[in-house]
Amino acid sequence: MNELNPSGWRPAMGASAPPDTIETFTGNRALQLEEALLFELGSPDRSGVDFDDIPDFDTALLGPNARKARLDLPGLSEPETVRHYTRLSRQNYAIDLGLFPLGSCTMKHNPRLDEKVARFPGFADVHPLQPVQTVQGALSAINELAVWLIELTGMHGVAMTPKAGAHGELCGLLCIRAALEAKGDPRAVILVPESAHGTNPATAAFAGYRVENIPATTDGRVDVDALKARLGPDVAGVMITNPNTCGLFESELKNIADAVHAIGGYVYCDGANFNAIVGRVRPGDLGVDAMHINLHKTFSTPHGGGGPGSGPVVLSEALSPFGPLPFTSRQADGSMKLIEEEQAHEEHPQAFGRMCAFHGQMGMFTRALTYILSHGADGLRQVSGDAVLNANYILRSLEDVLDAPFGAAGPCMHEALFSDDGFAEGFTTLDLAKGLIDEGYHPMTVYFPLVVHGAMLIEPTETESKAGLDQFIGAMRSLAERARAGDELLKSAPHLAPRRRLDETLAARKPKLVYKPA
Ligand SMILES: *Cc1c(COP(=O)(O)O)cnc(C)c1O
């Protein structure tokens, strides 16, 4: 057999040779393909399209905007371009490839039925400026989703237009600001717990408030006494995540809300973790005034890579009058009306303004509505039950090899939180996370929430099977044992990925955005 192989390349016989010792001519490793930059593949002298020569054109017409140097963009043929991006996409990880345990992100399976409905021409091919009579079905779908969101949260109204959770936070705080200003009582401070997602303090600051932190108790919840002690006439409101980012239910939320209302403030709830309680708890019953719902988390519309998201904000009776335009309204004859500026001074005179140009993310609305209708009320209740069950299975299956700082306090909600306590000297959460890449998983959320040292936040969601969870738990147990035993190989993981460990901090702080030919 070896004579057929003059290059000296020897396939491993029987048991496989260590993968690092096999070299290939191309640098490709079977289906794992090496890929150069577009600039290295293409050339400014080539083009994928056959343009006619440019007719004489008086560049003086462009004045100071005339280009002075050649635009050295790399030209590539269509197949070269398609292959480039397809190859890169194969180096990516996706929910359609495997479990994606990012805590707080709710990376669940996106049912294909939702995709199918979102592509119906009546939803996908409409234009936001079409006459309202021609888009009655699409407006009706937005309205039906709005009704479901109000019902599921026990709230009074909903602003559908915000395009992500963070955008919804801003919408909610602008409603709070408008409500306080309408009373002639603008206030300066928003209280945010230490464990909050970074978007919470960022939003409050962006909306013009001073942010003050509220500490957490040793059991991972908001310190209610500290919060109450801080309440006063300068506090516009609080932003509380429930369930919180430690994966725990804030059981004192009603008590907190009553105290905040008593001083004339409002309660914003970060609803990113609604997946843990949907169908079981209505935030409206807990005194919440505004809460965003990440449709791309709880209601399964696809996310990752920065979008598209959708973050409708449900509002209490006190805040609803201030919600943004436009919104849909069903008329007595069953037809849909779009409340825009023209009608607003009669029907919704206190709107604070608008969050975006048009009606929000139609594709996300149709997916989320399909998800809700295909599950039904009982199915949504089962979603949260199974999500919590899966997270607790992970918590209890790993707590003998990984420190679970709040494990003793009882069951977790939809995500399990671990710390790096017990790792060998010099071994970190990052080492374990990188080892997970070699095992074929996207790492969990690391170093968040900040209240736990070397945090690892794992959210399996309800869409993983027990067999899938068992395999992940096996990989995690093996990595935890290696981190505890001080296995040096773990420090340089990943070993089997297309690239080894990268300096992510340097890449983020000093990105190289300009290509310079070698
Ligand atoms: C995801 C998330 C957000 C922000 O939502 P985006 O849709 O990403 O803007 C806010 N808070 C928490 C707890 C989250 O998990």
Side-chain angles (χ1 to χ4, degrees):
M1 289 290 276
N2 282 341
E3 302 86 289
L4 296 175
N5 197 353
S7 69
W9 185 89
R10 289 185 105 230
M13 309 293 278
S16 56
D20 283 355
T21 63
I22 300 175
E23 295 208 353
T24 60
F25 174 76
T26 52
N28 295 334
R29 304 179 75 73
L31 296 178
Q32 190 170 294
L33 302 171
E34 271 299 305
E35 189 58 11
L37 299 175
L38 274 179
F39 293 90
E40 295 164 326
L41 294 172
S43 149
D45 300 322
R46 282 195 275 139
S47 169
V49 279
D50 198 0
F51 283 132
D52 286 342
D53 285 343
I54 302 167
D56 278 344
F57 173 72
D58 183 4
T59 50
L61 288 173
L62 294 173
N65 298 320
R67 176 166 294 284
K68 294 179 185 69
R70 230 164 67 123
L71 185 62
D72 278 342
L73 290 178
L76 287 96
S77 69
E78 185 173 297
E80 284 171 328
T81 312
V82 169
R83 283 183 186 160
H84 175 71
Y85 288 107
T86 306
R87 288 176 173 190
L88 288 183
S89 75
R90 291 175 49 146
Q91 299 185 0
N92 220 337
Y93 194 81
I95 189 66
D96 291 345
L97 285 172
L99 184 151
F100 211 126
L102 272 182
S104 213
C105 296
T106 313
M107 306 297 287
K108 61 168 79 172
H109 170 68
N110 309 130
R112 290 307 181 264
L113 178 66
D114 306 2
E115 296 299 318
K116 186 173 176 175
V117 173
R119 284 167 178 73
F120 287 172
F123 296 137
D125 297 344
V126 291
H127 192 280
L129 292 178
Q130 258 174 259
V132 167
Q133 320 80 277
T134 67
V135 286
Q136 286 287 307
L139 295 180
S140 227
I142 298 178
N143 202 68
E144 184 159 356
L145 177 61
V147 170
W148 268 95
L149 297 181
I150 290 171
E151 181 70 26
L152 286 168
T153 54
M155 301 287 277
H156 186 81
V158 59
M160 296 297 288
T161 56
K163 294 193 171 178
H167 205 208
E169 290 172 29
L170 182 62
C171 176
L173 286 203
L174 292 179
C175 288
I176 291 175
R177 201 173 71 180
L180 287 168
E181 282 172 358
K183 289 187 209 162
D185 181 21
R187 298 178 175 205
V189 177
I190 292 280
L191 304 179
V192 179
E194 275 176 343
S195 61
H197 193 266
T199 50
N200 292 188
T203 298
F206 194 71
Y209 289 105
R210 199 167 74 241
V211 180
E212 287 186 26
N213 275 331
I214 297 296
T217 58
T218 48
D219 76 350
R221 293 182 171 85
V222 176
D223 185 333
V224 181
D225 293 335
L227 186 144
K228 284 188 176 169
R230 178 58 192 84
L231 290 178
D234 59 338
V235 173
V238 297
M239 293 181 90
I240 293 188
T241 309
N242 200 16
N244 70 22
T245 60
C246 297
L248 303 170
F249 191 74
E250 293 284 1
S251 37
E252 290 296 314
L253 184 53
K254 179 76 176 74
N255 181 6
I256 293 171
D258 290 345
V260 173
H261 291 152
I263 56 109
Y266 293 95
V267 178
Y268 187 89
C269 180
D270 180 330
N273 296 333
F274 193 49
N275 203 49
I277 57 174
V278 61
R280 289 166 196 274
V281 177
R282 300 192 314 163
D285 297 337
L286 303 179
V288 168
D289 291 295
M291 180 181 96
H292 73 261
I293 299 169
N294 307 62
L295 296 185
H296 47 290
K297 293 178 181 173
T298 306
F299 296 111
S300 131
T301 64
H303 66 306
S310 183
V313 182
V314 285
L315 298 167
S316 63
E317 195 166 359
L319 290 187
S320 290
F322 304 96
L325 300 167
F327 59 92
T328 55
S329 164
R330 196 178 287 285
Q331 303 301 289
D333 67 357
S335 68
M336 296 305 308
K337 187 169 167 186
L338 198 60
I339 310 293
E340 292 266 17
E341 271 82 357
E342 305 82 66
Q343 304 91 17
H345 56 271
E346 289 159 21
E347 301 195 26
H348 194 60
Q350 290 178 292
F352 73 73
R354 52 202 299 150
M355 292 301 292
C356 56
F358 296 116
H359 322 329
Q361 305 279 51
M362 192 65 207
M364 301 294 109
F365 295 158
T366 42
R367 286 176 176 91
L369 181 59
T370 310
Y371 182 86
I372 288 173
L373 293 178
S374 58
H375 280 72
D378 58 334
L380 291 175
R381 196 177 150 79
Q382 193 181 342
V383 160
S384 54
D386 289 350
V388 171
L389 180 65
N390 279 358
N392 277 282
Y393 185 58
I394 287 184
L395 178 67
R396 297 308 175 205
S397 302
L398 291 176
E399 65 184 348
D400 60 325
V401 288
L402 282 176
D403 171 56
F406 307 123
C412 61
M413 297 299 288
H414 60 304
E415 50 197 359
L417 179 60
F418 300 98
S419 86
D420 60 3
D421 199 19
F423 286 7
E425 183 68 26
F427 281 77
T428 66
T429 286
L430 190 69
D431 299 327
L432 190 148
K434 295 296 182 187
L436 211 45
I437 296 175
D438 278 339
E439 295 286 352
Y441 290 103
H442 190 289
M444 71 294 275
T445 292
V446 293
Y447 300 105
F448 173 80
L450 305 177
V451 290
V452 166
H453 195 270
M456 287 170 267
L457 190 61
I458 301 176
E459 180 179 5
T461 83
E462 72 283 1
T463 58
E464 296 304 319
S465 66
K466 178 164 182 299
L469 293 180
D470 283 336
Q471 190 189 49
F472 174 72
I473 288 164
M476 283 294 294
R477 289 191 69 85
S478 146
L479 290 163
E481 275 155 12
R482 288 170 66 193
R484 295 172 82 89
D487 174 357
E488 285 297 322
L489 265 183
L490 194 57
K491 277 196 167 167
S492 44
H495 297 271
L496 307 175
R499 292 293 177 275
R500 302 291 289 273
R501 194 172 299 197
L502 305 173
D503 188 339
E504 288 156 350
T505 313
L506 187 71
R509 300 261 157 85
K510 296 190 176 163
K512 285 192 184 163
L513 301 175
V514 177
Y515 173 72
K516 293 204 186 79

